[in-house]
Amino acid sequence: MKSVIKRGKNIDTLIITELELKDMIKNYPSEDQITPLEVLKAKINSKLDNDFKIRNTIVEENMDVYDEVSSGFDAQMYFTLLSGEMRDKGIYIIDQPEDHISQRAIKEKVLDQFRRMGQQRQVIMVTHNPQFIVNLDVDNVIYLSKNNGKFTIQSGA
């Protein structure tokens, strides 16, 4: 929002007037036919599009630069970065790390990354993939199931 709204300005959506909004927006266009709300929406959308635009990504050693990579490969690269983080201790909470990653990639790469992560910090994971449970040295598994409309919780090592 810093590049959209002038410094020191806050929008109170309950009481702001159109004129006040117009005054708060950075580099307001000179066009009179566009409303301040439309300008704000366009600027925020432009900022979001720019922030989430796929950029050239340098991938692993001996591989080329790609203009666009799959979300599964992005996740693998993210887990590679997390597994190499050695400075800080703490907890990682990860929801469904298997999403968009092939079973082969999980077996050949991702499991090792999670092993390294677990050496430095606690990892709490929600998964539907048994590979993580069977192949990692887990201390505790909490299993949730639903039968006849009732939830059951079981736990163990």
Side-chain angles (χ1 to χ4, degrees):
M1 281 297 264
K2 289 181 182 180
S3 63
V4 176
I5 301 295
K6 292 178 182 174
R7 183 181 298 215
K9 301 286 186 176
N10 293 313
I11 298 174
D12 185 342
T13 57
L14 296 176
I15 61 170
I16 193 165
T17 66
E18 203 169 291
L19 188 58
E20 289 171 330
L21 180 60
K22 183 177 181 178
D23 183 53
M24 289 182 184
I25 299 173
K26 276 187 180 178
N27 303 321
Y28 194 87
S30 59
E31 302 171 25
D32 286 333
Q33 61 267 38
I34 189 166
T35 69
L37 195 54
E38 290 170 329
V39 171
L40 181 62
K41 181 180 175 182
K43 285 182 170 278
I44 290 172
N45 283 335
S46 174
K47 177 91 172 101
L48 288 172
D49 288 344
N50 187 49
D51 287 350
F52 291 105
K53 179 174 67 174
I54 294 174
R55 291 170 170 62
N56 287 343
T57 305
I58 298 175
V59 295
E60 295 187 58
E61 190 175 326
N62 300 324
M63 296 179 77
D64 293 334
V65 174
Y66 290 88
D67 289 329
E68 189 173 328
V69 294
S70 71
S71 56
F73 193 81
D74 275 344
Q76 288 178 58
M77 294 303 295
Y78 181 70
F79 295 141
T80 298
L81 292 171
L82 288 179
S83 69
E85 175 58 48
M86 300 296 178
R87 294 177 304 199
D88 299 320
K89 302 253 185 234
I91 298 173
Y92 283 155
I93 300 174
I94 302 172
D95 184 24
Q96 293 182 238
E98 70 272 12
D99 283 358
H100 310 291
I101 302 176
S102 70
Q103 294 300 310
R104 180 178 174 194
I106 289 172
K107 183 179 180 181
E108 293 177 359
K109 289 187 167 198
V110 177
L111 290 172
D112 286 336
Q113 295 163 346
F114 274 81
R115 281 185 196 96
R116 283 194 304 277
M117 274 188 250
Q119 291 172 351
Q120 297 298 317
R121 62 192 44 83
Q122 172 141 13
V123 178
I124 299 172
M125 176 190 328
V126 175
T127 183
H128 298 275
N129 191 316
Q131 279 200 75
F132 289 97
I133 308 306
V134 173
N135 294 308
L136 293 176
D137 182 24
V138 296
D139 295 327
N140 191 16
V141 175
I142 300 171
Y143 175 76
L144 299 156
S145 62
K146 185 177 178 183
N147 290 324
N148 299 325
K150 293 185 180 182
F151 284 99
T152 305
I153 301 173
Q154 300 170 326
S155 68

